[in-house]
Amino acid sequence: IAGITQAPTSQILAAGRRMTLRCTQDMRHNAMYWYRQDLGLGLRLIHYSNTAGTTGKGEVPDGYSVSRANTDDFPLTLASAVPSQTSVYFCASSQESSNQPQHFGDGTRLSIL
Amino acid sequence: GQNIDQPTEMTATEGAIVQINCTYQTSGFNGLFWYQQHAGEAPTFLSYNVLDGLEEKGRFSSFLSRSKGYSYLLLKELQMKDSASYLCAVLDSNYQLIWGAGTKLIIKP
């Protein structure tokens, strides 16, 4: 079944550790996105990529980095995790970075202690 | 700044109709999306409006008034499975989605 796969599903991490959240899509979508979702707040864009080889900063990029070496993969790295990065992280993709609907992965629940 | 407002929570009865409102103030407008998100799951696409008026899709309809910065999602013949959060999101001038915090809809028998 075509879609977006995120890994891990959940993770508990000690503060200061490095962590990479994986995201892979098989829909050949050009645009990909990373969001965090916190209780009482809307989804907030961390980083995005309009096409393979390019990335951009979203609303809350500090403490996170991404890469887009190919169309399918868009990993998100926390270089040195802090407790305020405890959140649910969603990866999404869309055909183009325009008015096409975004398709979401199942999310990664990350707790930083 | 950019702002999307939705009610935090609404309650409705199975079989009834409910309207979830969304008002927005954004830098530019390239369309408005509604997504459904069940607890612990990913958001899923419901509707997209870019022109004024009503878009109907089965039991769900979405309305847009660009001049008023206003949209609503109308759910008819409510079913228990419609219990979820409904997210309003606006595509701004940079084609980035600005998300509301979502409306948690509780359906009672």
Side-chain angles (χ1 to χ4, degrees), chain B residues 13-18 58-60 74-82 107:
Chain B
T13 304
E14 190 177 16
I17 299 173
V18 70
R59 293 189 299 114
F60 292 11
L74 191 71
L75 291 73
K76 303 176 185 177
E77 302 169 15
L78 285 170
Q79 303 175 9
M80 297 304 294
K81 68 178 182 179
D82 297 330
I107 310 295

Side-chain angles (χ1 to χ4, degrees), chain A residues 33 35 37 40-45 48 57-59 90 97-107 109, chain B residues 30-31 33 35 37 39-45 48 50 85 87 91 94-102:
Chain A
Y33 315 85
Y35 292 96
Q37 187 174 41
L41 300 176
L43 287 161
R44 291 184 291 170
L45 183 66
Y48 65 93
K57 293 182 179 181
E59 179 186 356
F90 285 102
S97 56
S98 61
N99 61 356
Q100 298 299 308
Q102 294 182 13
H103 300 264
F104 286 78
D106 289 335
R109 190 171 298 271
Chain B
N30 283 300
F33 291 84
Y35 282 77
Q37 186 178 25
E41 298 184 8
T44 55
F45 169 72
Y48 170 71
V50 66
S85 288
L87 314 181
L91 202 59
N94 294 319
Y95 285 93
Q96 288 195 358
L97 272 179
I98 309 301
W99 295 81

Side-chain angles (χ1 to χ4, degrees), chain A residues 23-90:
Chain A
C23 176
T24 299
Q25 54 103 358
D26 61 3
M27 297 176 283
R28 307 305 294 172
H29 283 173
N30 286 316
M32 297 188 75
Y33 315 85
W34 273 106
Y35 292 96
R36 59 178 290 173
Q37 187 174 41
D38 301 292
L39 198 63
L41 300 176
L43 287 161
R44 291 184 291 170
L45 183 66
I46 304 170
H47 285 285
Y48 65 93
S49 170
N50 290 334
T51 189
T54 69
T55 63
K57 293 182 179 181
E59 179 186 356
V60 289
D62 294 343
Y64 306 94
S65 63
V66 292
S67 61
R68 187 88 185 277
N70 56 59
T71 298
D72 299 344
D73 301 301
F74 191 44
L76 176 75
T77 297
L78 288 68
S80 179
V82 295
S84 62
Q85 292 178 310
T86 293
S87 187
V88 179
Y89 291 86
F90 285 102

